[in-house]
């Protein structure tokens, strides 16, 4: 087994066992603070916003990638396989979040059971929309929309870029996606975050469509493939952007639910309430993740059998 495949499995196990530690020293927390430092529109002249956004995007990606790149080059140059085996799973794990998505959704459900305001408070940690006037079903919708969309942003895309470019690729994507999450809004940050939003669209384009194929397979195995596909064709473009509507529409169709953003969009048909079918969303994300991981593992094994190289140029593909 090539090391990259072993690292993938180990990173997924670490995620499922311990999730994301709540510490200000987590690599993504440090990344967020750096973006927060430079991502303040008031610090620049309006005419300079787009240029500053491009320059700082590149600087942020380089700085976040650099430790991953240096580590990767060290172990490859000296073929220190045991060091790679020990440290690389934790580095890869820092670039994706699977268990924490589920934990956030469950915290919203627990909050709603205790008190609607607690549910709204919990969901405000997942989405940027105003939550004070949302109904319980709209609160659940916001939570599970985030889970559906983040199948791409927080799981499939970082693993895809790891498969193509190794640890530096996963780090590159995590930096780019975090900048889009913090700056890619149509408000005073729009010009400063313009490049971040476009770069995220490009880097997520292929992973979003891979996620769509995985979800179609998952729902087809459950007899809901045609329904999921029909909702994809009808509703995927209702959500702004090139990518987010794909997993949202497929999961809405496959689970028979509606994702409802007030004054924004309605995706899917309301055959069931989210209170009844929320776990279907979680199951779909789990299923797509496991199918993708298995495919990457098989590609990794095939690469090793064909080349005999435990450090291939393209880690999994």
């Amino acid at each position: 087994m090539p090391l990259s495949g072993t690292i993938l499995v180990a990173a997924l196990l670490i995620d499922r066992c311990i999730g994301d530690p709540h510490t200000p020293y987590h690599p993504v927390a440090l990344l967020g603070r750096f973006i927060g430092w430079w991502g303040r529109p008031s610090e620049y002249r309006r005419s300079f916003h787009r240029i500053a956004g491009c320059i700082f995007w590149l600087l942020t990606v380089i700085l976040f990638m650099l430790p991953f790149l240096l580590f990767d080059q060290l172990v490859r140059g000296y073929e220190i396989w045991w060091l790679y085996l020990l440290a690389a799973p934790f580095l890869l794990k820092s670039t994706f979040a699977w268990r924490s998505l589920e934990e956030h959704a469950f915290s919203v459900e627990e909050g709603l059971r205790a008190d609607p305001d607690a549910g709204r408070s919990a969901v405000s940690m997942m989405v940027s929309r105003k939550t004070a006037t949302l109904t319980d079903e709209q609160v659940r919708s916001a939570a599970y929309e985030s889970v559906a969309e983040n199948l791409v942003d927080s799981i499939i895309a970082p693993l895809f870029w790891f498969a193509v470019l190794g640890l530096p690729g996963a780090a590159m994507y995590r930096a780019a996606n975090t900048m889009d999450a913090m700056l890619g809004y149509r408000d005073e940050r729009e010009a400063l975050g313009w490049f971040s939003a476009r770069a995220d669209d490009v880097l997520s384009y292929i992973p979003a469509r891979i996620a769509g194929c995985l979800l179609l397979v998952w729902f087809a195995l459950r007899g809901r493939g045609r329904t999921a596909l029909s909702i994809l064709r009808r509703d995927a473009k209702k959500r702004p952007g090139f990518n987010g509507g794909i997993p949202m529409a497929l999961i809405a169709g496959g689970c028979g639910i509606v994702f409802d953003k007030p004054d924004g969009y309605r995706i899917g048909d309301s055959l069931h309430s989210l209170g009844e079918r929320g776990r279907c969303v979680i199951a779909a994300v789990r299923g797509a993740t496991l199918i993708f991981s298995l495919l990457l593992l098989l590609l990794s094994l095939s690469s090793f059998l064909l080349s005999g190289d435990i450090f291939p140029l393209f880690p999994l593909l």
Side-chain angles (χ1 to χ4, degrees):
M1 176 68 68
L3 288 180
S4 295
T6 306
I7 298 317
L8 172 65
V9 173
L12 291 169
L13 289 174
I14 290 170
D15 178 271
R16 297 312 300 175
C17 291
I18 65 175
D20 287 303
H22 298 286
T23 169
Y25 301 106
H26 188 287
V28 178
L30 295 173
L31 170 66
R33 288 205 292 277
F34 180 67
I35 297 168
W37 170 72
W38 66 260
R40 294 173 291 175
S42 60
E43 297 297 313
Y44 315 96
R45 289 180 300 171
R46 184 172 295 273
S47 61
F48 189 63
H49 279 190
R50 291 201 178 207
I51 296 174
C54 294
I55 293 173
F56 278 107
W57 184 93
L58 183 61
L59 178 62
T60 302
V61 167
I62 291 173
L63 288 177
F64 191 69
M65 278 181 61
L66 191 59
F68 293 80
L69 180 62
L70 292 176
F71 173 80
D72 195 66
Q73 292 301 305
L74 172 68
V75 296
R76 288 176 185 276
Y78 291 96
E79 296 192 353
I80 312 174
W81 64 267
W82 58 268
L83 179 59
Y84 193 75
L85 190 61
L86 287 174
F90 292 95
L91 290 173
L92 177 59
K93 166 61 198 86
S94 70
T95 67
F96 71 91
W98 176 12
R99 175 174 162 169
S100 67
L101 283 179
E102 299 178 6
E103 290 175 342
H104 282 304
F106 293 149
S107 72
V108 172
E109 288 286 3
E110 291 172 1
L112 287 173
R113 284 194 291 268
D115 174 42
D117 286 336
R120 295 187 189 99
S121 177
V123 84
S124 69
M125 304 296 291
M126 301 180 70
V127 297
S128 60
R129 72 191 67 169
K130 296 179 180 179
T131 61
T133 60
L134 298 182
T135 66
D136 287 2
E137 190 69 2
Q138 289 170 339
V139 168
R140 289 190 175 94
S141 177
Y144 290 114
E145 285 172 48
S146 180
V147 172
E149 183 180 2
N150 276 286
L151 169 62
V152 177
D153 294 351
S154 295
I155 304 174
I156 300 299
L159 295 183
F160 169 81
W161 286 107
F162 171 70
V164 176
L165 298 175
L167 291 173
M172 171 197 67
Y173 181 81
R174 176 47 50 223
N177 182 252
T178 304
M179 282 185 278
D180 175 56
M182 294 181 66
L183 302 174
Y185 297 95
R186 294 188 180 278
D187 53 21
E188 69 277 2
R189 296 166 290 184
E190 182 174 4
L192 187 62
W194 173 85
F195 188 81
S196 296
R198 299 291 79 77
D200 182 72
D201 286 341
V202 171
L203 293 173
S204 300
Y205 189 87
I206 295 175
R209 281 139 189 86
I210 291 174
C213 293
L214 297 169
L215 288 168
L216 278 174
V217 170
W218 176 258
F219 286 118
L221 293 173
R222 279 147 184 77
R224 297 282 299 175
R226 289 186 178 180
T227 306
L229 183 59
S230 69
I231 298 299
L232 172 72
R233 290 171 172 167
R234 190 190 75 186
D235 291 350
K237 293 183 179 179
K238 290 182 178 179
R239 187 204 179 277
F242 297 107
N243 305 313
I246 294 173
M248 288 171 59
L250 284 166
I251 289 177
C255 292
I257 56 176
V258 166
F259 289 134
D260 177 18
K261 181 178 181 180
D263 301 320
Y265 48 74
R266 283 178 61 87
I267 295 175
D269 293 326
S270 185
L271 304 179
H272 307 279
S273 73
L274 275 162
E276 298 171 336
R277 300 288 285 171
R279 289 189 177 272
C280 175
V281 179
I282 300 297
V285 169
R286 287 180 180 176
T289 300
L290 291 173
I291 294 170
F292 188 55
S293 301
L294 179 60
L295 290 174
L296 291 181
L297 193 58
L298 291 174
L299 286 170
S300 174
L301 181 58
S302 299
S303 173
F304 173 62
L305 292 176
L306 289 173
S307 68
D309 184 4
I310 64 171
F311 285 111
L313 178 60
F314 297 99
L316 296 179
L317 302 182

